[in-house]
Amino acid sequence: LGIIVCSGAFEAFISIMILCNCASMGLDAHSQVVDDFDPNIRLGLDVSEQVFTSIFFLEFLARCKVFGWRYYVPDTVEKRWNFMDGCLVFFTGVLFTWVVPLLQAMFGFSAENPVLQTLSVLRAARLARLVRVAQKVPLFREAWMLIRGLGDSMRTLFWTCIVICFVTYVFAIFGLVTMVRDLKDELKHLEASSPDQAQTSELALVLSYMIGIDNLMYTLIQVLMGDSFHAITRPILHYISWSWLYFYSYIAVAVFVLMNLVTAIIVDNALSTSRLDEDMEVKQKEAGKAKDLQELKKLFTLMDADGSGTLSWSEFKDSFDDPEMARKWMLLDFQPEECKELFSLLDDGDGEIETDEFFDGLGRMKGMAQSKDIFRMQKSLDAMQGRLGAVESLVAKSYDGQALATPRTPRG
């Protein structure tokens, strides 16, 4: 089970199931608002919901079996994502797909119950499992970087909203004091003396956007977004000629300065996160090497039955017969039938494997099958080079001996 759960095929299968489940949830939401939706497709969506929930729940149990329940304890950054993924499986899957319908059948709750309808909406949170796909699948590495960047920028976005509200609040107070009162007086004058109802209606409409600090702040946000604010500002110019300076000052502060500062801060955070990721990756590799070395030390200690600090062929062979050590060998991707070959690869020719030979050889072979193949080839080349060296020495000695034995012919 551990080999299956740790394999790339398992991760790929779960990722495909998550994508398919997201597609089915879109169809399900579409079917709830379309009157002439095909009932057969509706039935298929209900069945698929049960299938997806079963698959994700079995995945949850398999990971708990292989890695233990601490796999979902959020004590590290990586495990926080595991914890969130487990909560999504349980609450949006098991709870709303199995438990809630069961309680509904037991206690006779109506499907139109507003509480159940509100809870069922939370099933859409399962779409957050797409984050897992972006995190696990190398194809979506750029998407994962965007999601990470969005998460890391939440604090910046929060304070950006606070600062924008403060700047908008200050400008709204200034606008109420300097412009709105004058516009109200002008409207009263027009209503009393001007027969032009169109002009009066236009000014009354503009004032409705600006009377009160809440209305003026909303209007300034519209200016910030660039949402056709000239339809509001141009009529004001007829009555307050300097009003353009007020609005464009707000644009300069809120848009040109503040927004560009926010962009710079977010970019700087993204670069800092990228550097931290590189440092974290190096630390994780170092921690992984240290863990591998510790595992190899434990394995060597278990195999060294006589405590001599070296492994004989009998001790090495017995380790593959012992169930506990055989399981450790399998976790290192070595099978019992490879016992003789592995001993030959680790041994330097004296019939015993020393500590350095054991750690160095297994450390270089641990991992993908290619690592073992490369190490096997390297050992074969080393052995061939040794034999060639021996042959070369023999040939050199034979040549020297022949040269000494051959008498020199005196020159006539």
Side-chain angles (χ1 to χ4, degrees), residues 82-135:
N82 297 338
F83 175 75
M84 185 189 76
D85 193 60
C87 289
L88 289 173
V89 170
F90 181 77
F91 288 105
T92 67
V94 176
L95 184 61
F96 295 127
T97 305
W98 292 341
V99 177
V100 171
L102 180 62
L103 293 177
Q104 181 180 343
M106 290 175 59
F107 297 101
F109 293 143
S110 172
E112 304 297 327
N113 188 298
V115 176
L116 292 179
Q117 288 183 343
T118 302
L119 291 175
S120 64
V121 173
L122 298 177
R123 288 177 58 250
R126 194 186 299 181
L127 293 173
R129 295 205 84 198
L130 285 173
V131 174
R132 174 203 170 94
V133 178
Q135 180 186 14

Side-chain angles (χ1 to χ4, degrees), residues 68-86:
W69 60 271
R70 292 186 178 275
Y71 180 78
Y72 291 100
V73 176
D75 52 0
T76 63
V77 176
E78 183 178 356
K79 288 185 178 180
R80 287 173 193 166
W81 289 103
N82 297 338
F83 175 75
M84 185 189 76
D85 193 60

Side-chain angles (χ1 to χ4, degrees), residues 140-324:
F140 300 115
R141 180 176 178 274
E142 287 75 12
W144 170 240
M145 291 178 64
L146 288 174
I147 295 172
R148 280 285 306 273
L150 181 61
D152 295 337
S153 301
M154 283 300 175
R155 183 176 177 182
T156 303
L157 291 175
F158 172 77
W159 287 110
T160 300
C161 294
I162 297 298
V163 173
I164 287 177
C165 288
F166 175 75
V167 171
T168 305
Y169 180 74
V170 171
F171 270 85
I173 293 175
F174 184 75
L176 289 174
V177 173
T178 58
M179 291 194 307
V180 175
R181 288 192 302 182
D182 294 340
L183 290 174
K184 286 185 66 177
D185 294 340
E186 190 64 33
L187 178 61
K188 291 178 181 179
H189 176 71
L190 287 176
E191 290 175 343
S193 61
S194 175
D196 190 351
Q197 294 296 323
Q199 186 179 8
T200 304
S201 299
E202 182 184 48
L203 182 57
L205 180 62
V206 170
L207 266 175
S208 67
Y209 298 143
M210 303 180 67
I211 292 180
I213 193 167
D214 54 342
N215 287 328
L216 186 52
M217 287 183 67
Y218 188 82
T219 300
L220 288 175
I221 295 297
Q222 183 178 350
V223 174
L224 175 66
M225 298 292 114
D227 184 18
S228 303
F229 61 91
H230 287 96
I232 300 173
T233 58
R234 283 190 179 277
I236 299 176
L237 285 172
H238 295 298
Y239 308 101
I240 303 176
S241 59
W242 57 268
S243 61
W244 64 271
L245 184 61
Y246 168 80
F247 288 105
Y248 283 108
S249 296
Y250 176 75
I251 291 174
V253 173
V255 180
F256 298 151
V257 177
L258 185 58
M259 290 295 101
N260 285 315
L261 282 175
V262 170
T263 302
I265 292 172
I266 291 176
V267 171
D268 182 65
N269 287 341
L271 293 176
S272 299
T273 302
S274 178
R275 288 191 292 268
L276 288 174
D277 286 344
E278 292 176 358
D279 295 340
M280 185 63 68
E281 186 175 355
V282 172
K283 291 180 180 179
Q284 287 178 350
K285 287 183 178 180
E286 292 177 353
K289 289 181 179 179
K291 183 179 178 181
D292 292 342
L293 181 60
Q294 195 66 25
E295 291 178 356
L296 292 178
K297 286 182 178 179
K298 291 180 180 179
L299 181 61
F300 187 89
T301 303
L302 290 173
M303 295 171 64
D304 188 14
D306 57 3
S308 62
T310 60
L311 297 177
S312 63
W313 162 243
S314 60
E315 290 175 330
F316 193 84
K317 182 176 180 296
D318 291 341
S319 68
F320 280 89
D321 297 331
D322 183 85
E324 182 181 355

